[in-house]
PDB file of all heavy atoms in Angstrom:
ATOM      1  N   ILE A  33      -0.753  -4.702  -9.317  1.00  0.00           N
ATOM      2  CA  ILE A  33      -1.753  -3.738  -8.845  1.00  0.00           C
ATOM      3  C   ILE A  33      -1.434  -3.365  -7.401  1.00  0.00           C
ATOM      4  O   ILE A  33      -1.263  -4.238  -6.556  1.00  0.00           O
ATOM      5  CB  ILE A  33      -3.177  -4.337  -8.929  1.00  0.00           C
ATOM      6  CG1 ILE A  33      -3.458  -4.832 -10.351  1.00  0.00           C
ATOM      7  CG2 ILE A  33      -4.214  -3.343  -8.457  1.00  0.00           C
ATOM      8  CD1 ILE A  33      -3.425  -3.767 -11.407  1.00  0.00           C
ATOM      9  N   THR A  34      -1.369  -2.062  -7.120  1.00  0.00           N
ATOM     10  CA  THR A  34      -1.026  -1.561  -5.785  1.00  0.00           C
ATOM     11  C   THR A  34      -2.111  -0.611  -5.289  1.00  0.00           C
ATOM     12  O   THR A  34      -2.494   0.307  -5.999  1.00  0.00           O
ATOM     13  CB  THR A  34       0.324  -0.822  -5.825  1.00  0.00           C
ATOM     14  OG1 THR A  34       1.337  -1.740  -6.222  1.00  0.00           O
ATOM     15  CG2 THR A  34       0.676  -0.232  -4.473  1.00  0.00           C
ATOM     16  N   PRO A  35      -2.594  -0.824  -4.059  1.00  0.00           N
ATOM     17  CA  PRO A  35      -3.544   0.139  -3.482  1.00  0.00           C
ATOM     18  C   PRO A  35      -2.823   1.431  -3.092  1.00  0.00           C
ATOM     19  O   PRO A  35      -1.724   1.396  -2.543  1.00  0.00           O
ATOM     20  CB  PRO A  35      -4.073  -0.563  -2.228  1.00  0.00           C
ATOM     21  CG  PRO A  35      -3.511  -1.937  -2.244  1.00  0.00           C
ATOM     22  CD  PRO A  35      -2.395  -1.977  -3.207  1.00  0.00           C
ATOM     23  N   ILE A  36      -3.457   2.546  -3.396  1.00  0.00           N
ATOM     24  CA  ILE A  36      -2.980   3.854  -2.956  1.00  0.00           C
ATOM     25  C   ILE A  36      -4.075   4.441  -2.081  1.00  0.00           C
ATOM     26  O   ILE A  36      -5.243   4.460  -2.467  1.00  0.00           O
ATOM     27  CB  ILE A  36      -2.655   4.773  -4.143  1.00  0.00           C
ATOM     28  CG1 ILE A  36      -1.509   4.156  -4.960  1.00  0.00           C
ATOM     29  CG2 ILE A  36      -2.307   6.174  -3.664  1.00  0.00           C
ATOM     30  CD1 ILE A  36      -1.044   4.970  -6.137  1.00  0.00           C
ATOM     31  N   ASP A  62     -12.321  12.708  -6.950  1.00  0.00           N
ATOM     32  CA  ASP A  62     -12.785  11.684  -7.886  1.00  0.00           C
ATOM     33  C   ASP A  62     -11.772  10.566  -8.100  1.00  0.00           C
ATOM     34  O   ASP A  62     -12.129   9.491  -8.577  1.00  0.00           O
ATOM     35  CB  ASP A  62     -13.118  12.304  -9.240  1.00  0.00           C
ATOM     36  CG  ASP A  62     -14.388  13.125  -9.222  1.00  0.00           C
ATOM     37  OD1 ASP A  62     -15.191  12.964  -8.276  1.00  0.00           O
ATOM     38  OD2 ASP A  62     -14.577  13.936 -10.153  1.00  0.00           O
ATOM     39  N   THR A  63     -10.519  10.824  -7.770  1.00  0.00           N
ATOM     40  CA  THR A  63      -9.484   9.807  -7.938  1.00  0.00           C
ATOM     41  C   THR A  63      -9.711   8.627  -6.998  1.00  0.00           C
ATOM     42  O   THR A  63      -9.384   7.493  -7.324  1.00  0.00           O
ATOM     43  CB  THR A  63      -8.094  10.419  -7.673  1.00  0.00           C
ATOM     44  OG1 THR A  63      -7.890  11.506  -8.570  1.00  0.00           O
ATOM     45  CG2 THR A  63      -6.984   9.405  -7.848  1.00  0.00           C
ATOM     46  N   PHE A  64     -10.284   8.881  -5.834  1.00  0.00           N
ATOM     47  CA  PHE A  64     -10.394   7.887  -4.777  1.00  0.00           C
ATOM     48  C   PHE A  64     -11.816   7.364  -4.616  1.00  0.00           C
ATOM     49  O   PHE A  64     -12.785   8.084  -4.836  1.00  0.00           O
ATOM     50  CB  PHE A  64      -9.945   8.493  -3.441  1.00  0.00           C
ATOM     51  CG  PHE A  64      -8.484   8.807  -3.393  1.00  0.00           C
ATOM     52  CD1 PHE A  64      -7.999  10.002  -3.901  1.00  0.00           C
ATOM     53  CD2 PHE A  64      -7.576   7.906  -2.858  1.00  0.00           C
ATOM     54  CE1 PHE A  64      -6.651  10.305  -3.879  1.00  0.00           C
ATOM     55  CE2 PHE A  64      -6.224   8.191  -2.834  1.00  0.00           C
ATOM     56  CZ  PHE A  64      -5.756   9.388  -3.345  1.00  0.00           C
ATOM     57  N   THR A  65     -11.915   6.128  -4.183  1.00  0.00           N
ATOM     58  CA  THR A  65     -13.166   5.583  -3.668  1.00  0.00           C
ATOM     59  C   THR A  65     -13.137   5.857  -2.171  1.00  0.00           C
ATOM     60  O   THR A  65     -12.229   5.395  -1.467  1.00  0.00           O
ATOM     61  CB  THR A  65     -13.264   4.070  -3.926  1.00  0.00           C
ATOM     62  OG1 THR A  65     -13.251   3.859  -5.337  1.00  0.00           O
ATOM     63  CG2 THR A  65     -14.516   3.481  -3.309  1.00  0.00           C
ATOM     64  N   ILE A  66     -14.107   6.624  -1.687  1.00  0.00           N
ATOM     65  CA  ILE A  66     -14.109   7.014  -0.276  1.00  0.00           C
ATOM     66  C   ILE A  66     -14.669   5.860   0.557  1.00  0.00           C
ATOM     67  O   ILE A  66     -15.791   5.412   0.340  1.00  0.00           O
ATOM     68  CB  ILE A  66     -14.935   8.299  -0.055  1.00  0.00           C
ATOM     69  CG1 ILE A  66     -14.421   9.423  -0.969  1.00  0.00           C
ATOM     70  CG2 ILE A  66     -14.893   8.718   1.416  1.00  0.00           C
ATOM     71  CD1 ILE A  66     -12.947   9.743  -0.847  1.00  0.00           C
ATOM     72  N   LEU A  67     -13.860   5.396   1.491  1.00  0.00           N
ATOM     73  CA  LEU A  67     -14.252   4.285   2.360  1.00  0.00           C
ATOM     74  C   LEU A  67     -14.876   4.762   3.659  1.00  0.00           C
ATOM     75  O   LEU A  67     -15.691   4.056   4.248  1.00  0.00           O
ATOM     76  CB  LEU A  67     -13.033   3.407   2.688  1.00  0.00           C
ATOM     77  CG  LEU A  67     -12.321   2.792   1.490  1.00  0.00           C
ATOM     78  CD1 LEU A  67     -11.086   2.046   1.958  1.00  0.00           C
ATOM     79  CD2 LEU A  67     -13.260   1.884   0.713  1.00  0.00           C
ATOM     80  N   GLY A 118      -9.719   7.445   1.575  1.00  0.00           N
ATOM     81  CA  GLY A 118     -10.033   6.828   0.291  1.00  0.00           C
ATOM     82  C   GLY A 118      -8.932   5.924  -0.211  1.00  0.00           C
ATOM     83  O   GLY A 118      -7.803   5.923   0.295  1.00  0.00           O
ATOM     84  N   ILE A 119      -9.285   5.169  -1.242  1.00  0.00           N
ATOM     85  CA  ILE A 119      -8.378   4.191  -1.835  1.00  0.00           C
ATOM     86  C   ILE A 119      -8.648   4.104  -3.332  1.00  0.00           C
ATOM     87  O   ILE A 119      -9.753   4.373  -3.792  1.00  0.00           O
ATOM     88  CB  ILE A 119      -8.560   2.806  -1.179  1.00  0.00           C
ATOM     89  CG1 ILE A 119      -7.506   1.805  -1.650  1.00  0.00           C
ATOM     90  CG2 ILE A 119      -9.977   2.278  -1.413  1.00  0.00           C
ATOM     91  CD1 ILE A 119      -7.496   0.496  -0.868  1.00  0.00           C
ATOM     92  N   PHE A 120      -7.619   3.754  -4.080  1.00  0.00           N
ATOM     93  CA  PHE A 120      -7.807   3.330  -5.464  1.00  0.00           C
ATOM     94  C   PHE A 120      -6.672   2.377  -5.809  1.00  0.00           C
ATOM     95  O   PHE A 120      -5.677   2.282  -5.083  1.00  0.00           O
ATOM     96  CB  PHE A 120      -7.900   4.512  -6.434  1.00  0.00           C
ATOM     97  CG  PHE A 120      -6.599   5.221  -6.707  1.00  0.00           C
ATOM     98  CD1 PHE A 120      -5.827   4.910  -7.815  1.00  0.00           C
ATOM     99  CD2 PHE A 120      -6.171   6.230  -5.872  1.00  0.00           C
ATOM    100  CE1 PHE A 120      -4.649   5.585  -8.076  1.00  0.00           C
ATOM    101  CE2 PHE A 120      -4.997   6.915  -6.120  1.00  0.00           C
ATOM    102  CZ  PHE A 120      -4.226   6.584  -7.230  1.00  0.00           C
ATOM    103  N   LEU A 121      -6.840   1.647  -6.892  1.00  0.00           N
ATOM    104  CA  LEU A 121      -5.850   0.674  -7.330  1.00  0.00           C
ATOM    105  C   LEU A 121      -5.091   1.237  -8.518  1.00  0.00           C
ATOM    106  O   LEU A 121      -5.675   1.816  -9.433  1.00  0.00           O
ATOM    107  CB  LEU A 121      -6.525  -0.646  -7.702  1.00  0.00           C
ATOM    108  CG  LEU A 121      -7.321  -1.297  -6.578  1.00  0.00           C
ATOM    109  CD1 LEU A 121      -7.989  -2.577  -7.074  1.00  0.00           C
ATOM    110  CD2 LEU A 121      -6.455  -1.580  -5.360  1.00  0.00           C
ATOM    111  N   HIS A 122      -3.761   1.045  -8.502  1.00  0.00           N
ATOM    112  CA  HIS A 122      -2.875   1.641  -9.508  1.00  0.00           C
ATOM    113  C   HIS A 122      -1.992   0.551 -10.096  1.00  0.00           C
ATOM    114  O   HIS A 122      -1.511  -0.321  -9.370  1.00  0.00           O
ATOM    115  CB  HIS A 122      -2.017   2.714  -8.809  1.00  0.00           C
ATOM    116  CG  HIS A 122      -1.385   3.680  -9.726  1.00  0.00           C
ATOM    117  ND1 HIS A 122      -0.167   3.468 -10.297  1.00  0.00           N
ATOM    118  CD2 HIS A 122      -1.794   4.887 -10.172  1.00  0.00           C
ATOM    119  CE1 HIS A 122       0.166   4.502 -11.050  1.00  0.00           C
ATOM    120  NE2 HIS A 122      -0.814   5.375 -10.984  1.00  0.00           N
ATOM    121  N   ASP A 123      -1.752   0.612 -11.404  1.00  0.00           N
ATOM    122  CA  ASP A 123      -0.915  -0.404 -12.056  1.00  0.00           C
ATOM    123  C   ASP A 123       0.471   0.101 -12.443  1.00  0.00           C
ATOM    124  O   ASP A 123       1.199  -0.552 -13.174  1.00  0.00           O
ATOM    125  CB  ASP A 123      -1.622  -0.966 -13.286  1.00  0.00           C
ATOM    126  CG  ASP A 123      -1.689   0.018 -14.448  1.00  0.00           C
ATOM    127  OD1 ASP A 123      -1.242   1.181 -14.306  1.00  0.00           O
ATOM    128  OD2 ASP A 123      -2.195  -0.381 -15.515  1.00  0.00           O
ATOM    129  N   LYS A 126      -1.650   4.029 -14.315  1.00  0.00           N
ATOM    130  CA  LYS A 126      -2.952   4.672 -14.142  1.00  0.00           C
ATOM    131  C   LYS A 126      -3.789   3.925 -13.113  1.00  0.00           C
ATOM    132  O   LYS A 126      -3.470   2.806 -12.723  1.00  0.00           O
ATOM    133  CB  LYS A 126      -3.700   4.726 -15.471  1.00  0.00           C
ATOM    134  CG  LYS A 126      -4.060   3.350 -16.019  1.00  0.00           C
ATOM    135  CD  LYS A 126      -4.689   3.463 -17.399  1.00  0.00           C
ATOM    136  CE  LYS A 126      -5.137   2.160 -17.967  1.00  0.00           C
ATOM    137  NZ  LYS A 126      -4.332   1.000 -17.855  1.00  0.00           N
ATOM    138  N   ARG A 127      -4.873   4.562 -12.738  1.00  0.00           N
ATOM    139  CA  ARG A 127      -5.872   3.927 -11.881  1.00  0.00           C
ATOM    140  C   ARG A 127      -6.514   2.809 -12.679  1.00  0.00           C
ATOM    141  O   ARG A 127      -6.802   2.971 -13.859  1.00  0.00           O
ATOM    142  CB  ARG A 127      -6.916   4.959 -11.467  1.00  0.00           C
ATOM    143  CG  ARG A 127      -7.997   4.359 -10.591  1.00  0.00           C
ATOM    144  CD  ARG A 127      -9.049   5.356 -10.211  1.00  0.00           C
ATOM    145  NE  ARG A 127     -10.110   4.626  -9.513  1.00  0.00           N
ATOM    146  CZ  ARG A 127     -10.990   5.177  -8.742  1.00  0.00           C
ATOM    147  NH1 ARG A 127     -10.975   6.465  -8.543  1.00  0.00           N
ATOM    148  NH2 ARG A 127     -11.896   4.453  -8.161  1.00  0.00           N
ATOM    149  N   VAL A 128      -6.763   1.677 -12.024  1.00  0.00           N
ATOM    150  CA  VAL A 128      -7.328   0.530 -12.743  1.00  0.00           C
ATOM    151  C   VAL A 128      -8.676   0.088 -12.179  1.00  0.00           C
ATOM    152  O   VAL A 128      -9.173  -0.973 -12.518  1.00  0.00           O
ATOM    153  CB  VAL A 128      -6.356  -0.674 -12.749  1.00  0.00           C
ATOM    154  CG1 VAL A 128      -5.108  -0.319 -13.532  1.00  0.00           C
ATOM    155  CG2 VAL A 128      -6.005  -1.116 -11.337  1.00  0.00           C
ATOM    156  N   ASP A 129      -9.292   0.904 -11.356  1.00  0.00           N
ATOM    157  CA  ASP A 129     -10.601   0.569 -10.797  1.00  0.00           C
ATOM    158  C   ASP A 129     -11.475   1.808 -10.815  1.00  0.00           C
ATOM    159  O   ASP A 129     -10.988   2.919 -10.889  1.00  0.00           O
ATOM    160  CB  ASP A 129     -10.477   0.035  -9.365  1.00  0.00           C
ATOM    161  CG  ASP A 129      -9.960   1.100  -8.396  1.00  0.00           C
ATOM    162  OD1 ASP A 129      -9.050   1.857  -8.753  1.00  0.00           O
ATOM    163  OD2 ASP A 129     -10.473   1.184  -7.274  1.00  0.00           O
ATOM    164  N   GLY A 130     -12.744   1.641 -10.747  1.00  0.00           N
ATOM    165  CA  GLY A 130     -13.670   2.744 -10.556  1.00  0.00           C
ATOM    166  C   GLY A 130     -13.871   3.645 -11.752  1.00  0.00           C
ATOM    167  O   GLY A 130     -13.367   3.393 -12.843  1.00  0.00           O
ATOM    168  N   PRO A 131     -14.606   4.739 -11.539  1.00  0.00           N
ATOM    169  CA  PRO A 131     -15.029   5.593 -12.642  1.00  0.00           C
ATOM    170  C   PRO A 131     -13.917   6.381 -13.313  1.00  0.00           C
ATOM    171  O   PRO A 131     -14.070   6.816 -14.438  1.00  0.00           O
ATOM    172  CB  PRO A 131     -16.031   6.545 -11.974  1.00  0.00           C
ATOM    173  CG  PRO A 131     -15.651   6.540 -10.540  1.00  0.00           C
ATOM    174  CD  PRO A 131     -15.117   5.172 -10.258  1.00  0.00           C
ATOM    175  N   MET A 132     -12.791   6.573 -12.646  1.00  0.00           N
ATOM    176  CA  MET A 132     -11.707   7.352 -13.243  1.00  0.00           C
ATOM    177  C   MET A 132     -10.667   6.454 -13.925  1.00  0.00           C
ATOM    178  O   MET A 132      -9.638   6.905 -14.353  1.00  0.00           O
ATOM    179  CB  MET A 132     -11.030   8.226 -12.194  1.00  0.00           C
ATOM    180  CG  MET A 132     -11.938   9.267 -11.557  1.00  0.00           C
ATOM    181  SD  MET A 132     -12.590  10.456 -12.730  1.00  0.00           S
ATOM    182  CE  MET A 132     -11.114  11.391 -13.059  1.00  0.00           C
ATOM    183  N   ALA A 133     -10.931   5.150 -13.992  1.00  0.00           N
ATOM    184  CA  ALA A 133      -9.962   4.213 -14.585  1.00  0.00           C
ATOM    185  C   ALA A 133      -9.749   4.499 -16.053  1.00  0.00           C
ATOM    186  O   ALA A 133     -10.578   5.018 -16.731  1.00  0.00           O
ATOM    187  CB  ALA A 133     -10.448   2.784 -14.382  1.00  0.00           C
TER     188      ALA A 133
END
Side-chain angles (χ1 to χ4, degrees):
I33 305 298
T34 298
I36 297 182
D62 288 343
T63 302
F64 292 84
T65 298
I66 305 305
L67 301 176
I119 187 170
F120 73 96
L121 301 178
H122 198 272
D123 72 357
K126 65 185 183 317
R127 179 182 173 161
V128 295
D129 66 319
M132 298 298 288

